[in-house]
Amino acid sequence: HQKMVDLVESMGFSLVLLAGGQFSKCKSPGNFLVFENNSLLVKYIEDNRPTGFFFLIKGSRGMKLETVIEKL
């Protein structure tokens, strides 16, 4: 997980949203927001409707990230 955080950080994105408890153990910059699970991520998206962004969604099949995609 830390390698993924480091890689994404090197790409210079203005905002990164991460879901999953393993990410909370990683060292990440201030523009990375970490959510314990998809439900909390979806709540954030609903409350802070992102516009003008491109989204890259990557995760294991077990994370069921389609629940997040439905909210975008």
Side-chain angles (χ1 to χ4, degrees), residues 1-55:
H1 286 82
Q2 185 64 57
K3 287 182 182 180
M4 179 61 70
V5 168
D6 295 342
L7 174 64
V8 173
E9 180 181 12
S10 74
M11 295 177 179
F13 294 109
S14 59
L15 177 64
V16 176
L17 308 175
L18 301 169
Q22 292 297 318
F23 284 115
S24 64
K25 300 175 185 175
C26 297
K27 179 182 173 194
S28 59
N31 63 326
F32 282 44
L33 302 178
V34 179
F35 302 90
E36 186 67 26
N37 56 52
N38 289 353
S39 297
L40 294 172
L41 174 57
V42 166
K43 176 75 170 126
Y44 175 85
I45 290 171
E46 289 174 339
D47 292 346
N48 302 278
R49 181 66 56 190
T51 58
F53 288 92
F54 290 98
F55 293 90

